[in-house]
Amino acid sequence: MSSPNLDIALRFKTNSVRGGFVEGFHARDLEIGEVGGAVIDINYYYEEGPGHGFNPTVSGINVRNVTVRTAERALTLRGYPEAPIRDITLTDVDFGTTATANIIENVENLILKTSPPTAPPSQPDAGPRHNLTPAPVTTCPRRHPYNPYNPEVPTRTTKATSSMAVIHHTTLTPTKLELLTTWLPTRPWYRGGPAGPELAKGGGFRLDDPEGAVGIEFMVVNDVSDGRATAYLVPLTYRGAPLDEAGHALIGTAEHGVLGRRWIYDGCHDPVLIAELTALIEGRAQPQDQNTTDAPAPHITRSYTATSTAAQPSATPTKAQASATTAQTPANSTSTHAPASGTTDDAEGTILPGPSGTTLRLHRVLHAATPLPPEATGHVSGAWSKPDGTQTHGAFLTVTVHPHA
């Protein structure tokens, strides 16, 4: 199925007049081209909407092995506060390129997962069982779109020594939340009061540094100090040595139980993070799960459309520029390369240089299901958890074009 006139691929429309239930629905093995609206739409607000006494029940929706080329958005899921949509499981679903952020309201137990890779067929034993000869170096040019469910699609140059970040389940003293409790009130976009924040982790994702030297995390934290939850997006980088001329971006230092002292920075001022974020926007890098080594983060969606207006020299550091000094600096060096330029904070968030002369607006204060502005040419969106455990979804950043005078 494929058509710009195909409004929705899988649709469940209901309201409090119709009532009834849909339970135990299964769909699998679908190839979908173009969708004009959402790929999956479950909407309790269809026509008459709420307030008529017969709340519907939709639960146990299972969708597996679905690929989509392009759609307006991946998900529209709108339940009632008193009658949420429950138990939605999406397995090996590739939503392709989406133009706008998901709309997710009053949903419980939304699960996105991938199947474990199938083991290759066994080969005849051609040598010693414990042969330790290194594998040959292979290179994969960055020209494939991001596909979180196909590990065979290369997303970066690979080496015999992997650059995949390893998640250490150990201690960090002080903790990230303790450091952010002091740092957040110094930001112009902080919404809390003078008493300071009360923070809890809400989710996020990681990106990998191809050189394996810098940890990159996009962390969502919830602040409940003012009686209402405010979600903040905090990009962080973790380094084994200070970043030159970036004292203003240093959040603090901490002792890692395995790696020793770490310098923790506001990642918006770190050229390695900006280079990898640009690669994510353009579909050349894969978002990683926040807590598991070598696992994708399928709740992260992105889109980007290059325009002729944006075809100007980019202020974004190239991969070589961002990683060159890190690759050449010894592990015990006292500094690395200089911070990224062109990054500014204001009351709404952070402005960053984007690909091909575009501008990135990082939404530091997150809002669920916020429509993208009409001038947006791309976005990155994701899910996070509220303090009560329910999950919501919204835009993390938008890409816009601002022509030079």
Side-chain angles (χ1 to χ4, degrees):
M1 66 180 76
S2 177
S3 171
N5 298 319
L6 176 63
D7 186 34
I8 296 166
L10 295 174
R11 186 177 192 183
F12 304 80
K13 54 184 181 181
T14 187
N15 55 44
S16 64
V17 172
R18 298 184 177 201
F21 61 88
V22 177
E23 296 177 336
F25 174 87
H26 294 262
R28 66 180 184 181
D29 301 334
L30 301 176
E31 293 186 4
I32 303 170
E34 182 177 0
V35 182
V39 178
I40 301 175
D41 185 303
I42 305 176
N43 187 6
Y44 286 11
Y45 290 82
Y46 180 74
E47 291 187 346
E48 293 90 349
H52 299 281
F54 300 96
N55 287 342
T57 296
V58 177
S59 66
I61 307 301
N62 298 275
V63 180
R64 175 185 292 271
N65 191 26
V66 174
T67 59
V68 182
R69 187 176 72 249
T70 181
E72 178 66 20
R73 70 169 55 92
L75 302 172
T76 296
L77 308 177
R78 302 185 67 203
Y80 297 152
E82 71 278 12
I85 300 166
R86 291 186 171 92
D87 303 327
I88 310 298
T89 302
L90 310 178
T91 305
D92 300 336
V93 178
D94 179 2
F95 291 108
T97 300
T98 57
T100 60
N102 294 332
I103 298 174
I104 300 178
E105 302 170 2
N106 303 307
V107 177
E108 294 182 359
N109 198 28
L110 170 63
I111 300 173
L112 300 93
K113 62 182 181 178
T114 61
S115 299
T118 303
S122 59
Q123 301 294 327
D125 191 353
R129 192 172 297 274
H130 301 291
N131 188 350
L132 301 181
T133 303
V137 175
T138 61
T139 59
C140 301
R142 280 187 152 186
R143 57 172 179 255
H144 296 268
Y146 160 56
N147 182 349
Y149 301 106
N150 185 356
E152 295 180 355
V153 173
T155 57
R156 65 178 71 253
T157 300
T158 59
K159 302 180 180 180
T161 301
S162 173
S163 63
M164 181 67 66
V166 176
I167 305 302
H168 299 280
H169 296 283
T170 184
T171 59
L172 190 69
T173 308
T175 67
K176 289 179 276 188
L177 291 182
E178 288 170 340
L179 290 172
L180 291 176
T181 297
T182 302
W183 180 78
L184 275 177
T186 68
R187 301 299 93 194
W189 35 262
Y190 177 63
R191 299 288 195 267
E198 298 176 20
L199 300 180
K201 186 176 177 181
F205 68 99
R206 295 181 299 106
L207 295 173
D208 284 326
D209 172 18
E211 300 299 330
V214 180
I216 304 171
E217 179 181 14
F218 288 75
M219 186 176 185
V220 178
V221 294
N222 291 307
D223 176 18
V224 296
S225 61
D226 57 359
R228 57 186 179 87
T230 301
Y232 294 101
L233 177 63
V234 185
L236 301 170
T237 55
Y238 307 91
R239 290 175 167 269
L243 176 63
D244 274 346
E245 302 178 17
H248 64 289
L250 181 67
I251 294 175
T253 59
E255 293 298 324
H256 190 279
V258 176
L259 302 175
R261 177 158 294 186
R262 298 286 97 182
W263 280 257
I264 303 175
Y265 288 93
D266 176 3
C268 292
H269 297 268
D270 194 314
V272 173
L273 181 143
I274 292 178
E276 284 304 306
L277 179 59
T278 299
L280 171 65
I281 292 167
E282 295 181 331
R284 299 181 285 109
Q286 182 176 15
Q288 297 291 312
D289 184 83
Q290 196 173 24
N291 303 305
T292 306
T293 300
D294 198 10
H299 68 89
I300 301 299
T301 59
R302 42 72 55 192
S303 69
Y304 174 62
T305 302
T307 65
S308 58
T309 307
Q312 306 173 45
S314 175
T316 305
T318 65
K319 190 65 58 184
Q321 292 169 338
S323 300
T325 308
T326 301
Q328 297 169 8
T329 303
N332 59 355
S333 172
T334 58
S335 67
T336 57
H337 51 271
S341 60
T343 298
T344 58
D345 280 342
D346 59 25
E348 301 301 320
T350 303
I351 299 172
L352 303 167
S356 302
T358 59
T359 296
L360 309 183
R361 163 65 74 173
L362 192 80
H363 303 299
R364 294 289 199 159
V365 180
L366 299 178
H367 302 281
T370 302
L372 296 180
E375 67 271 18
T377 60
H379 81 287
V380 174
S381 298
W384 68 92
S385 296
K386 297 179 180 179
D388 63 4
T390 60
Q391 194 174 67
T392 189
H393 196 285
F396 286 174
L397 69 84
T398 53
V399 185
T400 57
V401 177
H402 293 284
H404 296 288

